[in-house]
Amino acid sequence: MSRLLADPLRARIVALLADGPACTCHLVADTGAKQPNVSNHLRALREAGLVAAEPHGRFTYYRLLPDALEAAAAELSDLAHRAAANSESRREC
């Protein structure tokens, strides 16, 4: 998940979708990126289960799936707790 959001444009798209569903034309305008680039990032987000595509007339709107983000946040939170608890325990060589 963190690798998926490591790309700045993809992270920006996720942040924009957090404000509500948008079509590709909105995301192109808001990011200044080229349409094929935005579409490729949306495909990756869909395949990862973070975004859903919803046809609306001749446009497709994309919306963020909060449950997927919450699951990723929980996983990262667990890793942070484990790292804090084990920060002083070194494995001996």
Side-chain angles (χ1 to χ4, degrees):
M1 172 67 68
S2 59
R3 183 175 179 197
L4 188 66
L5 297 178
D7 183 280
L9 178 55
R10 205 173 292 153
R12 176 79 175 124
I13 290 169
V14 168
L16 289 167
L17 292 177
D19 293 330
C23 69
T24 306
C25 60
H26 295 130
L27 297 171
V28 166
D30 291 345
T31 62
K34 303 275 187 210
Q35 185 273 327
N37 197 8
V38 169
S39 292
N40 285 335
H41 285 298
L42 286 168
R43 185 184 68 241
L45 291 167
R46 276 193 331 269
E47 288 173 355
L50 286 178
V51 169
E54 300 171 338
H56 185 72
R58 56 180 217 171
F59 297 101
T60 299
Y61 278 76
Y62 297 89
R63 70 177 172 86
L64 209 50
L65 299 173
D67 291 345
L69 283 177
E70 287 173 0
E75 186 176 323
L76 288 173
S77 180
D78 179 54
L79 287 173
H81 286 95
R82 284 174 43 202
N86 298 314
S87 66
E88 297 299 322
S89 60
R90 239 178 273 130
R91 289 176 32 179
E92 295 297 324
C93 294

